[in-house]
Amino acid sequence: MQTRLLDYQNQLGKNVNLCLLLYYLDSLNLAINQTQLNKLEQSISEFDKLALKPLRATRAYLKANQAEITDYAAIRKALLGAELKLEKQQQIILIDEVNSMNLTPCATPNNSDKYLS
């Protein structure tokens, strides 16, 4: 699952935290509509753009140039820790947003498919 989610992120530009939330809602047999999905995406778009994506770009740059970077391993570890904390914050944003929604019980929800297609 981890590889698949990272492929969605890296190849399709999808948000892993949103994917995880949608898979979770699917497992609970709760459906969201397109408007709700758009609202979830909007709730994290600025945070993603200004906090997470720049940090990931920094990590990628440093990895590509690690031979020239003194103490690369320690810097990488610190950046990974910061990224995990930011991911948790983004999860809080998503959970707060989804908790404000009226979700529809559904025997076969397709939340994740709706987002990934």
Side-chain angles (χ1 to χ4, degrees):
M1 182 63 116
Q2 179 182 3
T3 302
R4 183 182 318 156
L5 289 170
L6 289 176
D7 285 346
Y8 293 154
Q9 175 182 285
N10 298 330
Q11 295 174 12
L12 302 177
K14 299 299 181 178
N15 183 283
V16 169
N17 284 324
L18 183 51
C19 287
L20 289 170
L21 175 61
L22 296 173
Y23 281 128
Y24 178 66
L25 294 176
D26 285 345
S27 76
L28 296 175
N29 292 326
L30 294 171
I32 62 170
N33 60 40
Q34 189 62 50
T35 301
Q36 291 168 320
L37 176 58
N38 294 345
K39 195 169 182 180
L40 286 170
E41 287 182 283
Q42 184 180 22
S43 74
I44 58 170
S45 65
E46 185 174 19
F47 190 86
D48 215 26
K49 180 181 173 185
L50 297 176
L52 281 166
K53 286 182 180 179
L55 183 58
R56 288 187 193 119
T58 300
R59 277 197 315 107
Y61 169 81
L62 294 174
K63 182 178 182 179
N65 296 284
Q66 64 185 291
E68 295 87 40
I69 300 186
T70 305
D71 209 11
Y72 168 75
I75 294 169
R76 179 181 182 276
K77 184 177 179 181
L79 289 176
L80 283 172
E83 186 175 349
L84 286 175
K85 288 178 182 177
L86 290 173
E87 294 275 359
K88 287 180 184 178
Q89 180 58 46
Q90 188 174 66
Q91 291 166 356
I92 290 168
I93 294 167
L94 285 167
I95 290 167
D96 287 346
E97 190 64 42
V98 80
N99 282 339
S100 73
M101 296 177 174
N102 291 321
L103 304 177
T104 306
C106 177
T108 56
N110 64 345
N111 302 310
S112 50
D113 290 342
K114 190 179 299 178
Y115 178 57
L116 296 171
S117 61

